[in-house]
């Protein structure tokens, strides 16, 4: 599988609990640039398309946070991360992988 970057994933240990580092691994990342318009003007609604080889992480869930690059647990800040919006496990083909989509802004 092609990889063009590194991502760090954080998951919440329990509902309302702290986010803990799950993995820092190579990934394929593609940024989709989009604009949306509202009554008060135009704003960015970019999204990120991410693929991670299954061998790097056992489980990823919607709601986990992703940072594009390497981040240590003691440097964690949710506002530096993006929330994972969708997760699909693709086990077909010669490169089984997690397919993630991340939101442009942390919410």
């Amino acid at each position: 599988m092609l990889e063009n970057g590194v991502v760090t994933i954080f998951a919440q240990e329990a509902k309302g609990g702290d986010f803990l580092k799950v993995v820092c691994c190579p990934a394929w990342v593609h940024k989709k640039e989009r604009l949306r318009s509202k009554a008060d003007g135009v704003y960015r609604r970019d999204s990120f398309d991410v693929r991670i080889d299954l061998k790097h992480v056992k489980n990823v869930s919607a709601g986990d946070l992703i940072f594009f690059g390497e981040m240590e647990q003691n440097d964690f800040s949710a506002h530096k991360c993006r929330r994972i919006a969708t997760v699909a496990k693709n086990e077909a083909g010669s490169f089984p992988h997690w397919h993630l989509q991340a939101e442009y802004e942390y919410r």
Side-chain angles (χ1 to χ4, degrees):
M1 184 165 101
L2 294 175
E3 296 161 338
N4 63 358
V6 173
V7 297
T8 306
I9 297 177
F10 295 89
Q12 219 168 12
E13 62 181 335
K15 188 170 181 155
D18 294 332
F19 280 91
L20 299 177
K21 182 177 175 179
V22 174
V23 68
C24 181
C25 63
W28 177 85
V29 179
H30 176 70
K31 181 179 179 184
K32 296 177 187 177
E33 296 183 359
R34 299 182 299 173
L35 294 176
R36 296 281 192 237
S37 59
K38 294 192 329 188
D40 58 347
V42 176
Y43 67 101
R44 298 185 72 89
R45 283 303 302 151
D46 299 350
S47 65
F48 297 88
D49 196 19
V50 181
R51 288 182 172 84
I52 301 171
D53 195 311
L54 290 179
K55 69 182 177 188
H56 295 303
V57 62
K58 290 183 181 185
N59 194 21
V60 181
S61 302
D64 290 351
L65 301 182
I66 188 167
F67 177 77
F68 299 102
E70 295 181 34
M71 181 187 285
E72 294 302 321
Q73 181 68 47
N74 57 354
D75 295 329
F76 174 77
S77 169
H79 296 292
K80 294 179 185 176
C81 300
R82 307 289 182 253
R83 186 170 305 280
I84 296 173
T86 62
V87 176
K89 188 175 187 179
N90 184 343
E91 297 181 283
S94 56
F95 299 109
H97 62 276
W98 291 102
H99 183 189
L100 317 173
Q101 288 188 340
E103 301 171 348
Y104 177 63
E105 296 176 305
Y106 169 76
R107 289 187 255 195

